[in-house]
Amino acid sequence: MQASQPIGVFDSGVGGLSILRALRAELPQEHFVYFADSGHAPYGERDTAQVLARARAITTELLERHGIKALVIACNTATAVAIHLIRAEHPGLPIIGVEPALKPAAALTRTRRVGVMATRGTLESAKFAALLDSLCGLATFILQPCDGLADAIERQDASKIIALCDHYTLGFGQFGSKKGQVDTLVLGCTHYPFAADLLQARVGPSVRLVDTGEPVARHTRQLLLTRHVLLRGATAPPVTEGGATGRLTLVSSGPPEALREAVRRWLDLDLPVRQSD
């Protein structure tokens, strides 16, 4: 592995762009390859074997075709299902996963009632159960599986996104800062930050929305800097637009235009998308 090699990032679709956005802000000098597995989305509603097979295939493609030096699994479901096996199969590769931000939420809540929005695959995983158990007694976590929401965001189906946000926020009871009310809401899927404005409007301005983008980006920097010495020099010459100095390569297993449009919308970049085989 060399510092000049890119960092691979993958998700079931465009949701991982919320993680990529934070990574590029934290590590503007790094090169990135983003793989949207839109041809097999959504992961949260697929069985474990399918998610694991896709995670393995994408990791292999990012290593063999793009020569990545590190991998960020920018998907809660894929992290929960596959990260321990991917790490075992690639022991020399720094691998960073994501998980619903329960720990930060437990530190932030004052009412000790935290809502958690996530895919069913994430909430039913052993990894999530272990995380929840580790925080026993710190807060009451109200879990809401949000079937269909990631897919609606993936397809930019505005009317369905609104309807599902309405439906799922009702499941938490009262939001607010008083005793017995939910004052913190965890966005436990990387797609959900792209519906943050809609969710905030429904839960009220006093409720904190917590996602994983910035913590994952900080952890990635620390890992590359201290444990693997693979951080690319901050003095590298600019090679792209958008404020970052590192290249961004986009790959999709689905229709390329869907990823290109999402990158235009959420990263303010207009870049070509390579089609995965």
Side-chain angles (χ1 to χ4, degrees), residues 25 32 81 90 144 161 167 176 180:
F32 289 95
V81 168
H90 303 277
Q144 176 62 66
I161 294 170
H167 175 68

Side-chain angles (χ1 to χ4, degrees), residues 2 23 35 57-58 62 74 76 78 95 106 112 116 130 134 137 139 163 177-178 184 195 199 202 234 255 272:
Q2 297 181 358
L23 285 165
F35 190 111
I58 293 166
L62 289 172
N76 288 274
I95 301 175
R112 299 185 67 191
V116 182
S134 73
S177 56
K178 296 179 181 178
T184 308
L199 291 167
R202 280 148 183 77

Side-chain angles (χ1 to χ4, degrees), residues 76-90:
N76 288 274
T77 301
T79 296
V81 168
I83 193 169
H84 59 295
L85 293 171
I86 300 299
R87 281 175 172 159
E89 292 169 359
H90 303 277

Side-chain angles (χ1 to χ4, degrees), residues 18-269:
S18 65
I19 301 294
L20 179 64
R21 183 169 59 185
L23 285 165
R24 295 182 81 239
E26 181 74 20
L27 298 164
Q29 75 280 7
E30 293 288 349
H31 302 316
F32 289 95
V33 180
Y34 183 84
F35 190 111
D37 197 19
S38 300
H40 301 86
Y43 283 178
E45 295 163 37
R46 293 190 177 274
D47 64 41
T48 297
Q50 289 176 305
V51 175
L52 179 57
R54 290 307 302 157
R56 281 174 161 154
I58 293 166
T59 301
T60 298
E61 180 167 339
L62 289 172
L63 281 166
E64 294 182 354
R65 295 195 177 184
H66 300 279
I68 62 170
K69 66 179 179 182
L71 176 66
V72 178
I73 302 178
C75 172
N76 288 274
T77 301
T79 296
V81 168
I83 193 169
H84 59 295
L85 293 171
I86 300 299
R87 281 175 172 159
E89 292 169 359
H90 303 277
L93 180 68
I95 301 175
I96 301 94
V98 299
E99 64 182 19
L102 269 60
K103 293 177 186 178
L108 287 171
T109 181
R110 296 293 175 263
T111 65
R112 299 185 67 191
R113 290 184 67 81
V114 175
V116 182
M117 299 178 67
T119 67
R120 193 171 297 276
T122 293
L123 296 180
E124 293 178 352
S125 69
K127 193 172 190 299
F128 181 82
L131 173 62
L132 198 60
D133 286 346
S134 73
L135 301 171
C136 183
L138 295 182
T140 297
F141 295 96
I142 304 164
L143 310 182
Q144 176 62 66
C146 298
D147 298 337
L149 182 55
D151 186 51
I153 294 169
E154 184 79 22
R155 294 183 290 102
Q156 278 299 291
D157 186 337
S159 61
K160 190 166 185 179
I161 294 170
I162 291 170
L164 291 174
C165 286
D166 287 341
H167 175 68
Y168 291 131
T169 51
L170 286 174
F172 292 107
Q174 288 191 322
F175 287 94
S177 56
K178 296 179 181 178
K179 184 178 180 180
Q181 296 179 328
V182 173
D183 70 346
T184 308
L185 182 62
V186 174
L187 307 185
C189 170
T190 55
H191 282 74
Y192 299 169
F194 295 125
D197 290 345
L198 288 171
L199 291 167
Q200 192 76 70
R202 280 148 183 77
V203 303
S206 68
V207 175
R208 295 285 297 270
L209 303 188
V210 185
D211 65 56
T212 58
E214 290 183 6
V216 167
R218 289 194 297 269
H219 179 59
T220 302
R221 167 184 277 280
Q222 191 67 13
L223 191 65
L224 293 179
L225 181 63
T226 60
R227 286 177 54 185
H228 295 275
V229 197
L230 287 172
L231 200 66
R232 186 168 179 262
T235 57
V239 292
T240 70
E241 66 276 51
T245 60
R247 292 188 304 273
L248 173 57
T249 301
L250 303 173
V251 185
S252 178
S253 64
E257 189 53 38
L259 177 57
R260 186 170 186 176
E261 174 56 31
V263 170
R264 277 196 293 255
R265 179 191 298 267
W266 291 320
L267 272 62
D268 196 27
L269 294 171

